[in-house]
Every structure is written in C-alpha cells, then in structure tokens.
Amino acid sequence: MYQTKRFGLVASKQEYLMLCRAEHTRKRLAKKKPTGQRLSAFKVHKNK
C-alpha cells in the first residue's frame, strides 16, 4: 500500500505512477483544440 496526497491510498507505486500519467494526459488533451472540424487550407474572399 502506498499513501499519497492527491489520490489517497493506492495499491502500489506503479498504480500511483499510472494515475499521475493519466491525469497529466487528460489535462494535456483538454488544452488541445478539437481536430474534428477540418479547416480549409485557404479561404477565398470575393471582393465586391
């Protein structure tokens, strides 16, 4: 058993490291812009 401040009691150091990595990944992906909407390479504007 391994006691931590962030996650409380975890089974092992490996589990603690896994939780830290998952939290870091979740925060990194939350900052990333959604790539579902593809923008065109250039926009054509008509002058009137």
Side-chain angles (χ1 to χ4, degrees):
M1 298 304 233
Y2 192 73
Q3 182 69 32
T4 66
K5 283 186 176 180
R6 286 196 291 178
F7 304 109
L9 193 64
V10 294
S12 64
K13 180 103 176 190
Q14 288 80 15
E15 184 179 0
Y16 170 70
L17 293 174
M18 179 186 69
L19 290 170
C20 289
R21 182 179 174 97
E23 185 180 41
H24 179 72
T25 302
R26 183 179 51 79
K27 286 181 180 179
R28 184 173 50 88
L29 291 176
K31 287 182 182 178
K32 201 172 185 183
K33 292 181 181 176
T35 57
Q37 298 174 348
R38 296 281 179 192
L39 298 175
S40 61
F42 58 92
K43 294 181 181 179
V44 177
H45 296 284
K46 293 183 179 180
N47 294 329
K48 289 185 179 182

